[in-house]
Amino acid sequence: MPFSSESIRACFPALQERADHKPFIFFDGPGGTQMAQQTIDGLLGYITGGMANLHGTFATSRATDELLEAGRRGMADFLNCQPQEVAFGQNMTSLAFTIARSLGSFIQAGDEIVVTELDHRANVDPWVTLAQDRGAVVKFIPVNPETYTLELDHLDELITAKTKLVAVTMSSNVVGTVPPVEQIIQRAKAVGALMVLDAVHATPHYPIDFQKLGADVLFCSAYKFFGPHLGIAVVSAGLFEKLPVYKLAPAPTYIPDKLETGTQNHEGIAGLLGALAFIESLGEGNTRQERLRTAMQTVEEQEQRQAQELEAFLQTLPHVRLYRAPAGTRKTPTVAFTLEGVNSREVCAWFFENYNMNIADGHFYASTLAEKLGIMAQGGWIRLGLAPYNTDQEIELFKTALLAFIKRSY
């Protein structure tokens, strides 16, 4: 279908006019996007068509077996990995803790694990816990408090021959900074360390190529890209085969099933396929992989234009502190700011009450960054996160609303 905010919005029931209230304006994409109609159709289709568990001889069970394989193939096309490298789970955090526990035998006392000050704690605490359990040392790649970018000048001193695992985000869930993960991966691989990527907040905004990146583990979440609440882990086959997991004795020992303990969220995987079909409909090409990639390239182009407009606007305002990396730094359209002397929660409540805008506040589990920048005294950040269904008109209305709030407050 043609790529425009209007055509995209038609695919989202939550964005349509309703008799009981005006449509919400959703600027909370980093906390989770709305579901596309294709997602809802996938969920309902599986539920109403007959649900079943795996490995049976009857039709609905065989269909469920194929559903999981189709979900793996879909994610393989989306992220350019192998289907057998894709595992589903409750959410990214649970999968990260599960894999961290499985990596225990790879880590010895005195080894080093490197994480960052930029990350959501879901890509920090599983590895910190692993280090504590095994007597390893944790190092943090620091954030520059002026540029909100990782300080990589001394990367060779942080990632050394003692380093066994490095974990880094592909996009900050608060300030939007996209770190140069290729540089970090190259250094990690030079010393033989495992490389873990948190792509939860990158996946909705630009194409990702797991094979090209050369990482060992990548996490993402379907509800960030128009799907249901479902966690996804991609583990390189070479590591996955060797990965010991805590599992029931009769459960499969082969990949990726061995990581998927218990019954999976089958209807969620059906919804995931619907979400991928929606994204695919925005792209062009001869294969699903090509259409998914070109769709995400187009999404990135639109979102970058809108984010740059928001950034330029916020930079001109008195009493506003914008937490945004300098021009020339790659960023996703997640924009954080604070207002001088005003609690961020009060601001977000006012936006909702007066303009029906869903804008979130807080530390967003990027608590290391929040502590370093000292923003919790006023309730954390105000976070504006864009999705492809956000229109230029909504952004103009946000500008009007913020100017009105500043006028009444100062």
Side-chain angles (χ1 to χ4, degrees), residues 95-111:
L95 284 166
F97 273 110
T98 297
I99 291 175
R101 182 171 59 179
S102 298
L103 288 171
S105 61
F106 291 69
I107 307 296
Q108 306 301 321
D111 288 344

Side-chain angles (χ1 to χ4, degrees), residues 6-127:
E6 290 72 23
S7 61
I8 289 172
R9 290 174 72 83
C11 298
F12 289 84
L15 304 181
Q16 307 312 308
E17 188 79 41
R18 288 173 50 178
D20 56 341
H21 67 74
K22 292 171 59 180
F24 296 130
I25 296 174
F26 293 99
F27 284 134
D28 58 339
T33 55
Q34 300 306 302
M35 282 192 188
Q37 184 64 56
Q38 290 96 319
T39 304
I40 298 167
D41 291 343
L43 286 160
L44 290 177
Y46 178 76
I47 294 167
T48 59
M51 297 166 55
N53 219 316
L54 304 174
H55 311 314
T57 59
F58 46 94
T60 51
S61 180
R62 295 197 305 270
T64 301
D65 287 333
E66 170 54 27
L67 172 66
L68 265 69
E69 294 310 311
R72 301 189 211 286
R73 293 192 299 269
M75 287 306 300
D77 282 345
F78 191 41
L79 299 174
N80 193 28
C81 60
Q82 299 302 314
Q84 68 268 27
E85 295 175 323
V86 176
F88 300 114
Q90 179 182 356
N91 48 55
M92 178 272 177
T93 304
S94 298
L95 284 166
F97 273 110
T98 297
I99 291 175
R101 182 171 59 179
S102 298
L103 288 171
S105 61
F106 291 69
I107 307 296
Q108 306 301 321
D111 288 344
E112 295 177 352
I113 291 176
V114 177
V115 293
T116 89
E117 293 182 343
L118 187 64
D119 275 76
H120 188 293
R121 294 296 298 201
N123 198 37
V124 175
D125 290 331
W127 321 116

